[in-house]
């Protein structure tokens, strides 16, 4: 096991380059199974979730390798439709492969996927959508077994705008016969990014970014080189970190419109923010004021993946905040760890009541999940004294070179093997 040792109190200054979005890279990697031609993804983060997806592709018979910060995928030799259970349990996004594997082999077998323990994330919407395309599904002994003679386009109404279900149905429908219409589709930027990738390799997808996506099936797809969009959650994490620690940082290579909800809240806190094309500059040299209410919502609302980090910021602001988590029911598991550092937070159901304190105090804390772990790191950076963040394997799922980027900004943080 590895941990971070952090000596808090340093302000953050400088520039940080934002990696390609984890939540774009993973479904695009899954989509690479749909073509026999070579796909190259550019500026891909070296994170464990991506490595696990590459390992799954290799187990399916694809050739997938890192070339510096790029990944080259050749799926022409893919010959297996079973996604290994050990890898599926490690990676929630392995479920994205259902749509593309079914499309390629007309069969798929996967164990129920794993990932962060942040509450129930049922795959019912995925399976219901696939059934509407003609897939016969059996659930047995912890496995999902899928089979079909052919995939046929259909109209699919999602009960809620699930990102994963929207993307999985898109992947299955790309080579189905006829037209598929997804209604109440998720609108996240990563959905639009998947559409752009699919269209570049020859698909006919329209409407991503809106509530209705239309996919006209095609017979074959080609290869391409593609650079996924910047990671809005990584960018947001660094901006929140600078707000907590003080200083001035520039997040480079970002799409500011994709995190406008966060920018609005940080401005409301009292941060000075400037936007220059693909750069966001955040400056803060004083104690901030609490935002009264924060509610996570599907895009374009406040992202659940920034809730923990923003709650950590609220803990050291002047005043009170109420944070409501509408998407995942156990996403406050990091709160007891923040309390070890002096935070005054009380959780009732989906609401966290935050009373601002003067500062965090260094402590040993445990990361329970990816974003909660990132929040603990930011708290350690802003804290008085020394902190240890244990089990940082969770953080490695989504942040590449995290400690290196933070040190470059002036943070005192090192990775240590326990």
């Amino acid at each position: 096991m590895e941990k971070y040792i952090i000596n808090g109190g340093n302000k953050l200054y400088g520039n940080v380059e934002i990696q390609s979005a984890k939540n774009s890279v993973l479904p695009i990697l899954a989509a690479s199974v749909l073509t026999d031609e070579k796909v190259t993804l550019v500026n891909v983060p070296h994170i464990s979730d991506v490595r696990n997806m590459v390992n799954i592709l290799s187990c399916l018979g694809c050739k997938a390798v890192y070339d510096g910060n790029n990944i080259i995928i050749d799926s022409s030799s893919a010959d297996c439709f079973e996604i290994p259970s050990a890898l599926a349990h490690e990676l929630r996004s392995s479920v994205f492969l259902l749509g593309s594997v079914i499309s390629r082999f007309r069969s798929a077998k996967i164990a129920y996927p794993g990932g962060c323990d942040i509450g129930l994330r049922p795959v019912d919407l995925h399976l219901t959508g696939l059934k509407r395309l003609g897939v016969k599904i059996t659930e047995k002994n912890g496995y999902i077994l899928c089979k079909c003679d052919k995939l046929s386009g259909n109209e699919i109404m999602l009960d809620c705008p699930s990102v994963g279900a929207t993307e999985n149905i898109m992947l299955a429908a790309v080579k189905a016969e006829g037209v598929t219409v997804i209604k109440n589709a998720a609108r996240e930027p990563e959905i639009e990014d998947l559409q752009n990738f699919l269209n570049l390799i020859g698909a006919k997808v329209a409407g991503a970014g809106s509530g209705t996506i239309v996919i006209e099936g095609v017979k074959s797809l080609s290869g391409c080189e593609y650079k996924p969009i910047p990671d809005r959650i990584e960018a947001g994490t660094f901006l929140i970190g600078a707000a907590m620690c003080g200083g001035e940082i520039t997040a480079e290579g970002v799409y500011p419109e994709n995190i406008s909800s966060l920018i609005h809240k940080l401005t409301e806190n009292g941060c000075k923010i400037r936007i220059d094309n693909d750069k966001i500059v955040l400056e803060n040299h004083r104690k901030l004021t609490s935002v009264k209410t924060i509610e996570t919502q599907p895009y374009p609302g406040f992202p659940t993946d920034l809730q923990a980090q923003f709650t950590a910021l609220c803990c050291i602001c002047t005043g009170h905040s109420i944070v409501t988590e509408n998407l995942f029911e156990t996403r406050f598991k990091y709160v007891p760890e923040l309390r070890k550092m002096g935070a005054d937070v009380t959780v009732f159901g989906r609401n966290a009541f935050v009373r601002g304190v003067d500062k965090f105090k260094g402590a040993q804390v445990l990361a329970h999940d990816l974003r909660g772990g990132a929040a603990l790191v930011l708290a350690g950076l802003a804290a008085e004294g020394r902190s240890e963040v244990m089990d940082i394997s969770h953080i490695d799922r989504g942040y590449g070179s995290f400690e290196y980027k933070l040190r470059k900004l002036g943070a005192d943080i090192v990775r240590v093997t326990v």
Side-chain angles (χ1 to χ4, degrees), residues 45 67 141 180 215 230 266 288 309 312 316 324 326 330 338 371 418:
D67 179 17
N141 299 328
T180 298
I215 306 115
L266 290 171
L288 298 174
Q309 301 92 308
I316 53 173
T324 302
N326 290 309
T330 62
L338 282 182
R371 306 306 176 183
V418 180

Side-chain angles (χ1 to χ4, degrees), residues 225-279:
E225 181 177 296
Y226 190 77
K227 184 178 181 179
I229 61 172
D231 195 318
R232 60 194 172 104
I233 305 304
E234 186 197 29
T237 299
F238 280 104
L239 292 172
I240 293 169
M244 292 173 67
C245 295
E248 181 177 341
I249 72 162
T250 300
E252 297 184 335
V254 299
Y255 293 173
E257 63 273 17
N258 288 350
I259 52 171
S260 59
S261 60
L262 172 66
I263 291 171
H264 174 76
K265 290 296 183 184
L266 290 171
T267 302
E268 194 177 335
N269 277 126
C271 295
K272 296 179 180 178
I273 295 178
R274 303 190 307 276
I275 296 173
D276 181 13
N277 295 320
D278 67 343
K279 298 180 177 65

Side-chain angles (χ1 to χ4, degrees), residues 321-376:
S321 298
I322 300 175
V323 182
T324 302
E325 174 54 58
N326 290 309
L327 302 181
F328 296 115
E329 68 277 0
T330 62
R331 202 152 204 176
F332 288 122
K333 293 184 73 173
Y334 65 89
V335 167
E337 306 303 310
L338 282 182
R339 285 202 288 257
K340 293 177 185 177
M341 304 179 76
D344 186 353
V345 186
T346 304
V347 176
F348 290 103
R350 291 183 178 268
N351 298 301
F353 298 86
V354 183
R355 290 159 288 274
V357 298
D358 183 46
K359 64 181 68 174
F360 286 119
K361 301 293 180 66
Q364 184 181 90
V365 292
L366 178 65
H368 291 284
D369 59 70
L370 168 55
R371 306 306 176 183
L376 296 176

Side-chain angles (χ1 to χ4, degrees), residues 83 88-89 91-99 102 110-115 119-132 135 137-140 142-146 156 158-160 162-169 328-329:
I83 300 164
H89 286 309
L91 179 64
R92 171 73 187 180
S93 297
S94 60
V95 75
F96 293 136
L97 280 157
L98 271 180
I102 290 166
I110 184 174
Y112 274 94
L120 294 173
R121 294 184 286 180
V123 297
D124 294 5
L125 291 175
H126 301 246
L127 303 185
T128 299
L130 293 175
K131 287 176 182 177
R132 293 281 293 169
V135 180
I137 297 173
T138 306
E139 299 175 62
K140 186 176 181 181
Y143 282 89
I144 302 169
L145 308 173
C146 303
I156 299 168
L158 295 178
D159 290 338
C160 68
S162 161
V163 173
T166 299
E167 292 176 330
N168 221 345
I169 295 165
F328 296 115
E329 68 277 0

Side-chain angles (χ1 to χ4, degrees), residues 27 31 282 294 346:
L282 183 142
I294 305 97
T346 304

